[in-house]
Amino acid sequence: MEHRKKVAFYTLGCKLNFSETSTIARGFQDKGFDRVGFEDIADIYVVNTCSVTENADRQFKHVVKKALKKNENAFVAAVGCYAQLKPEELAAVDGVDLVLGATEKFKITDYINDLSKNDFGEVHSCEIEEADFYVGSYSIGDRTRAFLKVQDGCDYKCTYCTIPLARGISRSDVLENVLKNAKEISEQNIKEIVLTGVNIGDYGKGEFGNKKHEHTFLDLVKALDEVEGIERLRISSIEPNLLKNETIEFVAGSRTFVPHFHVPLQSGSNDILKRMRRRYLRELYVDRVRKIKEVMPHACIGVDVIVGFPGETDEYFLETYHFLNELDISYLHVFTYSERANTPAAEMDGVVPRKVRAKRSKMLRVLSAKKRRAFYESQLGTTRTVLFEGENKAGYIHGFTENYVKVKAPWNPELVNTLHRIVLKDIDEDGMVRFDFVEEAVYAS
């Protein structure tokens, strides 16, 4: 009997990458490969790369080393955003045999004919203009939630961002296919689906990026709300100018969409927003937050913010700090600006020293902790529904309420992947919330 080849995967970067890794892995399994963990010995190691942070570059080399330690003769393939932007650089990394860009990554099994090591990484990467067809994906990371990709690419030209160069134009899945994937997920007893994409509010542009919007993001949300068997739907990051009042109102009265929004701001200064070429000003952002809180006072609102962008003086940074401090939001994701080749921002004057960037980042992370604490305190005494996760962390089980409050309880395997009504009691010293059960599982698995 022939030895079945083993393949292992490592994903760097965003939720979208995780969903795509899962799709690529299913392609391997369809071709008769066995999927194993990255810590195991495999014949092929596939690394799905990211280009958004500086560390992603360094992490890649580290991951390749780790794979070759397990099996020095393993075939190593790099796919994903960094593979599209800098294929030659990745191909030159010791031990890398194959580099596939944005359109080729989903056809990876076609490129792996023999698994003999190459002296130098072989590159197959298209011009990014060719990345115009859409490949639907979803991942089932842990058993409790799945990431469902609905859109890819971006037509925005933010001055700091390489994503349009790495992923191509904005294009979407057809509604029928998204609903089919959602149904498949719900049939696997997964309780929560997180919608992901590069710019999901832009959902509706055709598969080849043609501007014909057959369906809008609101149509998508309304249709998903009716899929049987899904308990929770969560919208991942959505641009403020694309988060329309109608969508906010629909979520407020929806059966399955949870009151949790993640809305990138990037800067609280209009001058910096213009330099970034963002498509809104801070006044619009205030309106969005106000609208969410008006119809869902208990909603959780997360914010992306970039510190140290070229031209960000102390005054501009403080403008952002005070803006966020006064805004009714729940937590921040803070990114320290890092120069990216082939972006307009990399050529801008007013470069902020790295030490200053680090200091500003720390200030905003402290603010984020304060905001999260205040949000959790505002929720104490309320009744919520929690979905428990599958990991035993130092004797505790964790879970998230619909409005993204993280709770903990002593480990009990029977709680994994079940939803329960709880009353939030108090905040533990580690910042998580303790609770009392209201009743037995609402929806046991």
Side-chain angles (χ1 to χ4, degrees):
M1 187 181 131
E2 198 192 347
H3 158 69
R4 277 168 70 96
K5 295 268 190 273
K6 293 186 170 67
V7 61
F9 297 87
Y10 197 97
T11 306
L12 296 160
C14 64
K15 291 169 180 164
L16 185 57
N17 270 4
F18 278 94
S19 76
E20 292 181 342
T21 298
S22 287
T23 296
I24 293 166
R26 286 194 285 274
F28 271 97
Q29 286 161 315
D30 292 345
K31 292 270 167 87
F33 286 82
D34 288 331
R35 182 176 182 174
V36 296
F38 203 81
E39 303 301 323
D40 300 324
I41 293 173
D43 302 287
I44 303 178
Y45 291 93
V46 179
V47 185
N48 195 351
T49 62
C50 164
S51 65
V52 172
T53 62
E54 281 183 294
N55 290 346
D57 320 354
R58 285 201 296 273
Q59 280 173 314
F60 174 74
K61 289 179 178 154
H62 173 68
V63 171
V64 171
K65 261 197 196 125
K66 214 159 103 174
L68 294 172
K69 228 182 213 160
K70 288 284 173 198
N71 175 8
E72 60 182 23
N73 300 313
F75 188 91
V76 178
V79 301
C81 290
Y82 202 55
Q84 174 66 38
L85 286 174
K86 306 256 177 96
E88 266 62 23
E89 242 174 67
L90 291 193
V93 172
D94 260 4
V96 173
D97 300 292
L98 178 67
V99 178
L100 297 181
T103 62
E104 293 80 11
K105 63 189 169 191
F106 295 108
K107 304 185 286 239
I108 180 169
T109 51
D110 300 348
Y111 290 99
I112 297 175
N113 307 322
D114 63 345
L115 294 184
S116 52
K117 297 287 288 171
N118 296 327
D119 292 338
F120 193 79
E122 190 184 318
V123 172
H124 296 274
S125 118
C126 64
E127 287 304 310
I128 196 61
E129 286 71 33
E130 292 165 35
D132 59 0
F133 58 88
Y134 182 85
V135 178
S137 311
Y138 62 84
S139 80
I140 293 164
D142 47 24
R143 216 156 57 90
T144 48
R145 73 169 59 86
F147 299 113
L148 171 58
K149 173 182 165 186
V150 299
Q151 182 275 343
D152 200 349
C154 189
D155 293 339
Y156 286 11
K157 300 281 187 291
C158 301
T159 52
Y160 51 81
C161 186
T162 54
I163 285 174
L165 300 172
R167 282 186 170 270
I169 55 173
S170 177
R171 56 213 187 266
S172 319
D173 209 345
V174 292
L175 189 59
E176 301 75 55
N177 201 37
V178 174
L179 296 175
K180 179 178 83 69
N181 283 341
K183 198 134 199 57
E184 278 176 24
I185 293 167
S186 73
E187 282 160 6
Q188 297 182 57
N189 191 29
I190 284 164
K191 302 285 193 284
E192 180 173 307
I193 293 179
V194 183
L195 302 184
T196 66
V198 172
N199 187 356
I200 63 173
D202 204 27
Y203 176 83
K205 285 186 181 158
E207 183 189 11
F208 297 96
N210 51 46
K211 299 298 180 249
K212 194 164 110 244
H213 280 66
E214 279 193 51
H215 296 100
T216 62
F217 183 68
L218 182 59
D219 295 336
L220 171 75
V221 164
K222 285 180 170 171
L224 280 167
D225 198 44
E226 291 179 11
V227 175
E228 288 299 311
I230 300 170
E231 302 293 350
R232 278 184 178 182
L233 284 154
R234 205 178 284 280
I235 297 168
S236 68
S237 192
I238 182 165
E239 292 283 305
N241 50 309
L242 295 173
L243 176 57
K244 303 287 190 252
N245 283 345
E246 298 79 24
T247 306
I248 295 170
E249 280 160 12
F250 181 79
V251 167
S254 139
R255 181 180 71 86
T256 49
F257 276 90
V258 295
H260 174 207
F261 294 88
H262 193 92
V263 191
L265 168 69
Q266 310 311 15
S267 174
S269 154
N270 281 341
D271 290 341
I272 297 293
L273 287 173
K274 286 173 192 166
R275 278 178 79 97
M276 290 176 166
R277 266 195 230 145
R278 301 292 286 157
R279 297 194 175 193
Y280 54 85
L281 296 175
R282 55 187 260 164
E283 289 72 15
L284 175 113
Y285 199 92
V286 172
D287 283 350
R288 290 298 174 267
V289 171
R290 199 176 285 142
K291 179 69 185 173
I292 292 168
K293 286 294 187 177
E294 178 193 308
V295 292
M296 290 169 273
H298 58 295
C300 178
I301 304 175
V303 182
D304 285 344
V305 60
I306 294 171
V307 296
F309 188 78
E312 186 187 61
T313 58
D314 284 346
E315 290 73 26
Y316 283 143
F317 170 70
L318 287 174
E319 212 181 318
T320 295
Y321 186 91
H322 294 309
F323 180 72
L324 289 165
N325 194 27
E326 284 155 34
L327 213 52
D328 193 0
I329 51 157
S330 318
Y331 64 91
L332 306 172
H333 278 174
V334 183
F335 298 91
T336 304
Y337 172 74
S338 65
E339 284 77 4
R340 282 277 161 270
N342 303 318
T343 59
E347 310 296 314
M348 286 181 181
D349 51 12
V351 173
V352 178
R354 287 184 182 272
K355 270 189 173 155
V356 177
R357 293 183 213 183
K359 185 181 150 207
R360 288 176 187 173
S361 171
K362 194 174 177 185
M363 279 175 73
L364 285 185
R365 285 204 296 273
V366 170
L367 179 63
S368 177
K370 192 179 100 176
K371 286 285 187 186
R372 182 177 266 122
R373 175 99 194 179
F375 175 64
Y376 281 11
E377 281 174 0
S378 76
Q379 295 304 299
L380 296 179
T382 62
T383 301
R384 297 276 165 245
T385 303
V386 63
L387 173 59
F388 287 106
E389 306 200 335
E391 220 180 318
N392 180 344
K393 291 190 178 162
Y396 286 94
I397 189 166
H398 296 160
F400 284 96
T401 62
E402 66 276 35
N403 60 343
Y404 218 54
V405 173
K406 194 172 188 183
V407 304
K408 67 187 277 197
W411 172 253
N412 173 357
E414 285 170 23
L415 292 177
V416 171
N417 199 32
T418 60
L419 286 143
H420 292 259
R421 300 283 286 164
I422 60 168
V423 176
L424 301 176
K425 288 287 294 279
D426 45 56
I427 303 175
D428 221 9
E429 63 273 9
D430 58 8
M432 277 176 260
V433 177
R434 299 282 200 155
F435 59 87
D436 287 336
F437 286 105
V438 173
E439 66 213 49
E440 273 320 289
V442 195
Y443 331 89
S445 62

